[in-house]
Amino acid sequence: MNKKACAFYDERDCKQILLSAEEIDRITTRLARAIEETYKDSDRRLVMVVILKGSMPFAADLMKRLALPLELEFMKVSSYGAGTKTSGEIKISLDLKRDDLQDIDLLVVEDIVDSGRTLFRLTQLLKNRNAHSVRTCTLLDKPSRREVDFVPDFCGATIPDEFVIGYGLDYDEKYRNLPFVGVLKPEIYS
Ligand code: IMP
Ligand code: MG
């Protein structure tokens, strides 16, 4: 395959485009307004915690639309390997290094909520560390897959139970650079 012939050569592995770049743009703008409304009267520091790697493009677009003083931190949390099924436990391979948690509002930004285990456990952990507040913002949610009682505070779009790729989301580390969200053809992972 000539990778240079088409910038988005991976597009052929998509069964369907779920969110176009234009739709993602509208979603992030709407989420930014809702987040501003929530924090506008707070006099605490607002810290966006970007969950690597998947939420990087989403967080980057979202933060540019937020007309609020904002600080940026990163965590790397994983519950998935190369497969498409959750493994249950979460592993923190890059932790948040702040010693002022009790004084700050944390906004955890995630690409997708599936079983809900990752954000359920992560928000529990950050609350146990006495963060002043912990809220979550996800681009995508698959509520039909939920295994624990978790509801994100801000959600871009709910989607059916299908494995999606693009705009940060990967299958086996590929497809993160697609500018849209698409459904991966099942024959790629089965
Ligand atoms: P949860 O802990 O089951 O909610 O899993 C959340 C994590 O699983 C996300 O941060 C993604 O890394 C991964 N994940 C879940 N569904 C998908 C998908 O459809 N495509 C790509 N990654 C996914
Ligand atoms: Mg992820």
Side-chain angles (χ1 to χ4, degrees), residues 107-162:
L107 178 65
V108 177
V109 177
E110 178 63 302
D111 50 4
I112 188 165
V113 182
D114 186 46
S115 72
R117 291 187 189 279
T118 305
L119 284 189
F120 180 73
R121 281 164 200 253
L122 185 62
T123 49
Q124 256 181 351
L125 178 99
L126 295 170
K127 283 174 187 166
N128 287 343
R129 291 181 186 174
N130 291 323
H132 185 273
S133 75
V134 183
R135 289 190 179 87
T136 55
C137 176
T138 184
L139 173 67
L140 302 171
D141 190 2
K142 291 193 235 179
S144 64
R145 299 256 309 163
R146 204 64 97 250
E147 292 169 18
V148 292
D149 185 14
F150 176 81
V151 181
D153 297 284
F154 305 97
C155 172
T158 55
I159 62 166
D161 178 12
E162 292 193 276

